Amino acid sequence: MQDPESSEKAYRFGRLYNKLASNSLDVTVRGLQNIDNETQYLLPPVSRPFETTIQDDMSNSSRNTRRRLARDESPSPNIDMNVLPPAIQLQRAKEQQRSEVSSAYVSESDLLRDLIFIFQGIDGQYIKFNPDLNDYSLANGISVSKPMEEMVFKLAEMGWIYIKIRNFIRLNVDNPNIGLVGQSLCAALQHELTEYYKLIAILEAQIEKQIADKSLNNDQQTLTLKRLQIWTLNCTQKLRLMSMLVDVCQDKKGGALMTTIHNYTKHGDPFYRKYLTDMLQVVSKPFYEMLARWVYEGELDDPYGEFLVACDPTVSEEDLWQSKYSIRENMLPSFLSKELGEKIFAIGKSLNFIRYSCHDDSLVEQYYTTPNNDTTARMTFKYGETKVVEEAIEVAYHNTSKALLDLLKTKYKLMDHLKAMKRYLLLGQGDFIQYLMDILGENLSKPATTLLRHNLTGILETAVRSSNAQYDDPEILNRLDVRLLEIQNNDLGWDVFTLDYHVDAPINTVFSPAAMLQYLHIFNFLWRLKRVEYTLSASWKKWGKASREFANLPDIQQDLQCAQLTIQRMVHFIYQLQHYVLFEVLECSWDKLETLIENKCIDLNSVIEAHLNYLSEITEKGFLSGTKEIALSGRLNDIFDSVLRYKVALDHLHDYATSESAKQIYGKAGSSDKIDLIRRHLKEKEDDFTIQVLEFLKIINSYHDEDLRSLSTRLDYNAYYSSFQITSRSP
């Protein structure tokens, strides 16, 4: 049998000989000036790049542009063969012949075999990866027809995309920074590549079969480039989608990665939409598993920070509700609404609050013991079933919130604590507060530095036992305590004394430090108002008795009468103000709070919000916050101070009357200068009170508030102070 290599050599020699014999190469020696150009042809023959450019429907792409530019970089030198020596002409002809003969032996079967390697990211014999182009190109010296070349490059795109996907998987499959969702994406891509490998195996078997059986022809369904292009069309689309996912999912994880993929499912092509939806169902499994554990167990199984809930392990359990957990908005998938995300957040936080603050695990255990047909049964979540997820979250949200509120209202007596705050810190327990004032008055009138806390605590216990407060729950009474504020210069006991109410977990979630500070602020205002009312009541009793005791002093009878009238005006003002604060502010606000908590609050957040609104409404209507504080709070303090100063002046008058009564018994004469000074002081304090009241009425009349208008009408009954205002303006 003849050697194929010998036949090839004989063929090449015969063809070259015929060309030389036909004088097709006319050689003329031109001299030494061309020696440099001529000697390069003495070198061993090398392959020349094929000069045909690719022009097809994808010629605009960067990959084809790079390939075309690279093929145009080294054009073959255009040298006239007639100027070369015979030896060089012969060498040149051999080179051209070798190129022609080589291209003739690159068959379609050879290209198909190469493409199988390309599909796996391996260079073939004729098709190789060019790192400079970042693309595949034909090896130097390979010449194929333009249509065949176009099909080869289109098919080689699969290999290029495969390398890109494979490198992404290798870099990220064990990378903790990409998270569980990212690793799930890598696993999904690897699964798709496994299906891709199966296709390659089928194609390779078909090609090997064709090579082994050369009797097959086109009519017998042999594999050709055109058929390969059709057979791999669906696979190419999938690879392109996977390549797109690789590009857009770089440096993303968790819910943000799911949002990115979800945005590409909004596509008009059903194939694209279904493929990406199926891919996202696989990728989102870790996220939905985290979601299920969070809403049914309260467990945050998120080692790489991919879930929409973040946990701060440094926060103590006492601050669990306020500070321990937070929402990562960037990790909330776009196909879950913000409202749903807040409910998801609240469910898990409530479960943890019940477990760690209320020390109750019954709700979590319920999800493991409930039959599957029950509405409270544990559900399995997956992507694409958003409505099912929303319904399950809604059920879990209501069950968890209701269980938490029931626990706070029953086991931890939330409403009882709220009522205790109202009775003691907001002075709602009248008999207790009055008795406390009676036995504390003498001590609190002393300098604040002389007060001892244990003495005040004993007085508080006495007041409790001597009033209806003794019938309260002992747990409530044990929380009631005395607190002394920071002492400033010249402070009296009245200025630093305050009641306190101790709260602990879990009720301190509702009675937060900010809320307790508002209670203290309100108590100080009410306590001062009560002190003024207590002082005026004592003065009224004192001067009612004095009018009988000093009936034998005709010089001061008019002073006594004026004092009683002024006290009456002050009592009227304080009582009307007290009525407004205690009934129109405190009671109305309490009624709203009680209605909200009993009927409308569905979770702990709504209870906390209702409680804060309750305190805010009290402070705003009670002139302790907002614009009213600036205009009215200072004015009320001035009125209170003027009343207390008038009481001091009255004490001086009482001392003078007592002294004069004693002198009259012994026949001694009184001092007219002293009584004149006392009368002047009383007149000044009375006028100061009147001016302050007029200013206060002027301010509240400027507000378009029905409650304030009602207060103004009661304070200025029968337009009493209006006449003062007119008189003060007359010359």
Side-chain angles (χ1 to χ4, degrees):
M1 185 174 181
Q2 188 176 4
D3 186 7
E5 185 176 355
S6 300
S7 301
E8 181 181 352
K9 291 180 179 180
Y11 172 79
R12 289 162 55 194
F13 178 80
R15 185 168 179 176
L16 179 59
Y17 178 81
N18 291 335
K19 285 186 177 182
L20 294 173
S22 61
N23 295 324
S24 60
L25 298 175
D26 185 15
V27 180
T28 304
V29 178
R30 298 290 299 275
L32 295 178
Q33 64 271 22
N34 293 325
I35 187 68
D36 293 335
N37 293 332
E38 294 167 357
T39 53
Q40 64 179 325
Y41 296 98
L42 296 175
L43 300 173
V46 295
S47 299
R48 303 293 180 184
F50 187 62
E51 297 177 5
T52 305
T53 59
I54 302 174
Q55 298 178 356
D56 59 0
D57 57 343
M58 298 180 64
S59 62
N60 295 330
S61 68
S62 59
R63 296 173 59 244
N64 290 333
T65 301
R66 292 196 303 270
R67 186 187 295 117
R68 184 169 63 254
L69 291 175
R71 297 169 73 86
D72 293 342
E73 282 181 356
S74 304
S76 300
N78 187 15
I79 300 176
D80 189 357
M81 293 290 291
N82 295 327
V83 302
L84 301 178
I88 296 176
Q89 292 181 25
L90 179 61
Q91 184 67 26
R92 180 65 172 168
K94 288 181 178 180
E95 179 183 348
Q96 292 178 355
Q97 184 65 28
R98 182 179 294 109
S99 177
E100 292 177 6
V101 173
S102 298
S103 63
Y105 280 91
V106 180
S107 64
E108 189 172 8
S109 297
D110 295 331
L111 291 176
L112 286 171
R113 180 183 294 176
D114 262 20
L115 284 171
I116 294 299
F117 289 104
I118 299 304
F119 291 165
Q120 303 172 70
I122 304 171
D123 283 354
Q125 183 177 358
Y126 307 107
I127 309 171
K128 299 182 181 297
F129 184 79
N130 189 334
D132 295 331
L133 299 176
N134 190 28
D135 203 355
Y136 284 99
S137 60
L138 293 174
N140 291 332
I142 302 302
S143 175
V144 296
S145 65
K146 184 176 179 181
M148 186 176 294
E149 182 184 20
E150 292 176 354
M151 286 189 289
V152 167
F153 287 147
K154 287 182 179 180
L155 289 167
E157 180 189 6
M158 292 175 60
W160 182 82
I161 296 175
Y162 167 77
I163 292 176
K164 181 179 179 181
I165 298 171
R166 181 191 63 189
N167 292 340
F168 175 82
I169 294 174
R170 288 179 178 176
L171 288 174
N172 294 287
V173 68
D174 295 324
N175 182 11
N177 294 328
I178 199 173
L180 295 177
V181 176
Q183 292 175 5
S184 181
L185 173 62
C186 292
L189 293 175
Q190 186 62 55
H191 175 75
E192 292 295 324
L193 290 184
T194 302
E195 299 298 320
Y196 174 69
Y197 296 148
K198 294 178 182 179
L199 175 62
I200 293 176
I202 294 172
L203 296 175
E204 185 176 11
Q206 179 67 19
I207 293 173
E208 292 297 335
K209 181 180 179 181
Q210 290 179 194
I211 294 175
D213 189 357
K214 297 188 179 292
S215 62
L216 293 175
N217 53 51
N218 267 351
D219 294 336
Q220 294 175 309
Q221 299 297 318
T222 59
L223 184 62
T224 63
L225 289 174
K226 289 183 179 179
R227 286 175 180 159
L228 180 60
Q229 200 169 6
I230 299 299
W231 289 5
T232 59
L233 181 61
N234 188 58
C235 183
T236 303
Q237 287 182 326
K238 291 182 179 181
L239 287 173
R240 286 173 180 169
L241 287 175
M242 287 191 283
S243 175
M244 178 269 295
L245 293 179
V246 167
D247 290 333
V248 300
C249 294
Q250 295 285 350
D251 302 324
K252 289 185 173 64
K253 64 179 183 179
L257 189 148
M258 293 168 59
T259 296
T260 301
I261 300 177
H262 171 74
N263 291 337
Y264 284 90
T265 61
K266 303 171 184 178
H267 200 284
D269 190 332
F271 174 80
Y272 278 61
R273 186 167 58 250
K274 184 178 185 306
Y275 181 80
L276 291 175
T277 299
D278 294 342
M279 177 72 73
L280 194 50
Q281 284 183 344
V282 177
V283 172
S284 61
K285 282 184 178 179
F287 180 88
Y288 280 110
E289 289 176 359
M290 296 180 203
L291 176 60
R293 291 205 65 189
W294 175 252
V295 299
Y296 291 126
E297 302 175 32
E299 295 291 339
L300 186 58
D301 186 11
D302 182 23
Y304 303 113
E306 303 172 272
F307 194 54
L308 61 95
V309 178
C311 175
D312 186 355
T314 62
V315 176
S316 64
E317 292 180 4
E318 291 186 356
D319 298 325
L320 184 149
W321 189 267
Q322 291 88 353
S323 308
K324 192 173 185 66
Y325 298 102
S326 59
I327 296 181
R328 294 191 187 103
E329 294 186 0
N330 62 321
M331 290 299 169
L332 176 63
S334 59
F335 48 85
L336 300 179
S337 65
K338 186 176 181 180
E339 180 183 0
L340 186 65
E342 291 175 352
K343 289 183 178 180
I344 293 171
F345 175 69
I347 292 170
K349 189 167 69 168
S350 298
L351 289 174
N352 280 281
F353 187 81
I354 292 172
R355 176 184 295 126
Y356 297 111
S357 297
C358 301
H359 310 288
D360 189 339
D361 286 332
S362 59
L363 185 61
V364 175
E365 295 172 356
Q366 174 184 343
Y367 289 113
Y368 293 96
T369 58
T370 304
N372 293 332
N373 57 355
D374 197 311
T375 56
T376 60
R378 182 166 180 158
M379 302 290 291
T380 301
F381 303 137
K382 68 177 181 178
Y383 175 77
E385 298 180 353
T386 306
K387 187 174 182 180
V388 175
V389 173
E390 290 177 349
E391 292 175 353
I393 294 299
E394 192 70 25
V395 171
Y397 174 72
H398 282 291
N399 291 340
T400 306
S401 301
K402 184 177 183 300
L404 175 54
L405 291 185
D406 290 344
L407 198 60
L408 289 176
K409 291 177 182 179
T410 55
K411 182 178 179 180
Y412 293 100
K413 304 177 181 179
L414 174 62
M415 293 306 299
D416 290 345
H417 290 297
L418 286 169
K419 292 175 181 177
M421 290 284 190
K422 176 176 176 289
R423 286 199 304 271
Y424 299 114
L425 296 191
L426 302 185
L427 311 189
Q429 187 76 27
D431 59 336
F432 165 76
I433 297 299
Q434 187 63 44
Y435 191 83
L436 189 64
M437 283 263 180
D438 291 339
I439 59 179
L440 271 179
E442 184 178 354
N443 291 319
L444 296 183
S445 298
K446 298 177 181 178
T449 53
T450 63
L451 296 181
L452 297 176
R453 186 175 177 277
H454 64 274
N455 290 339
L456 298 176
T457 304
I459 294 175
L460 175 65
E461 293 177 357
T462 302
V464 169
R465 290 194 300 269
S466 303
S467 64
N468 287 331
Q470 62 181 313
Y471 302 111
D472 261 349
D473 188 340
E475 182 184 352
I476 299 294
L477 296 176
N478 290 336
R479 296 174 181 270
L480 193 61
D481 198 0
V482 170
R483 176 181 174 187
L484 295 178
L485 303 179
E486 184 178 354
I487 299 176
Q488 304 292 336
N489 292 333
N490 302 321
D491 275 350
L492 297 178
W494 291 103
D495 301 318
V496 298
F497 174 84
T498 180
L499 292 179
D500 195 13
Y501 193 86
H502 297 294
V503 293
D504 51 14
I507 61 170
N508 62 353
T509 304
V510 178
F511 301 104
S512 62
M516 295 305 295
L517 188 61
Q518 283 186 291
Y519 274 112
L520 176 62
H521 194 192
I522 298 169
F523 174 84
N524 288 334
F525 170 74
L526 295 176
W527 184 250
R528 189 159 195 218
L529 178 61
K530 194 69 177 177
R531 174 196 174 187
V532 173
E533 184 260 340
Y534 174 79
T535 301
L536 288 174
S537 297
S539 297
W540 177 259
K541 295 177 183 178
K542 182 177 180 180
W543 285 99
K545 181 180 179 181
S547 62
R548 295 186 297 271
E549 290 180 354
F550 305 132
N552 59 343
L553 299 175
D555 294 340
I556 64 171
Q557 289 303 311
Q558 186 176 0
D559 297 318
L560 295 177
Q561 185 179 5
C562 289
Q564 287 181 314
L565 291 174
T566 303
I567 293 173
Q568 173 62 30
R569 286 201 293 123
M570 292 180 175
V571 168
H572 171 77
F573 180 89
I574 295 300
Y575 276 15
Q576 294 302 323
L577 180 63
Q578 200 172 39
H579 178 276
Y580 167 78
V581 172
L582 294 180
F583 292 96
E584 297 190 23
V585 176
L586 294 179
E587 289 299 330
C588 292
S589 299
W590 170 256
D591 183 64
K592 290 181 183 178
L593 175 66
E594 196 171 27
T595 302
L596 285 174
I597 293 179
E598 294 295 342
N599 302 322
K600 296 184 178 181
C601 290
I602 60 174
D603 59 7
L604 182 55
N605 277 332
S606 59
V607 171
I608 295 173
E609 183 180 1
H611 182 238
L612 292 177
N613 290 338
Y614 162 71
L615 295 176
S616 298
E617 185 175 359
I618 291 175
T619 55
E620 184 176 355
K621 287 188 174 182
F623 321 125
L624 300 177
S625 65
T627 57
K628 295 178 183 178
E629 177 188 12
I630 301 173
L632 296 174
S633 179
R635 188 66 60 186
L636 278 178
N637 286 329
D638 291 340
I639 292 175
F640 295 160
D641 289 338
S642 67
V643 172
L644 296 176
R645 286 194 296 267
Y646 187 76
K647 187 261 182 187
V648 173
L650 285 178
D651 289 342
H652 292 161
L653 177 61
H654 189 275
D655 293 342
Y656 173 79
T658 302
S659 174
E660 288 299 312
S661 179
K663 289 179 181 180
Q664 193 176 46
I665 295 174
Y666 296 104
K668 296 181 180 180
S671 174
S672 59
D673 294 338
K674 188 173 183 180
I675 187 59
D676 291 340
L677 180 62
I678 292 174
R679 287 169 178 168
R680 187 165 59 251
H681 285 170
L682 286 172
K683 181 62 175 175
E684 289 176 358
K685 303 302 184 288
E686 180 184 354
D687 291 344
D688 180 57
F689 172 78
T690 303
I691 292 172
Q692 297 294 345
V693 171
L694 290 173
E695 291 294 332
F696 181 79
L697 290 173
K698 181 180 178 181
I699 294 172
I700 64 175
N701 285 328
S702 65
Y703 288 96
H704 300 286
D705 188 317
E706 293 183 2
D707 292 335
L708 291 183
R709 291 293 177 89
S710 176
L711 174 62
S712 175
T713 301
R714 292 197 301 270
L715 291 176
D716 191 17
Y717 188 69
N718 285 338
Y720 177 80
Y721 286 102
S722 299
S723 62
F724 274 87
Q725 193 169 5
I726 295 172
T727 303
S728 63
R729 292 179 180 178
S730 62

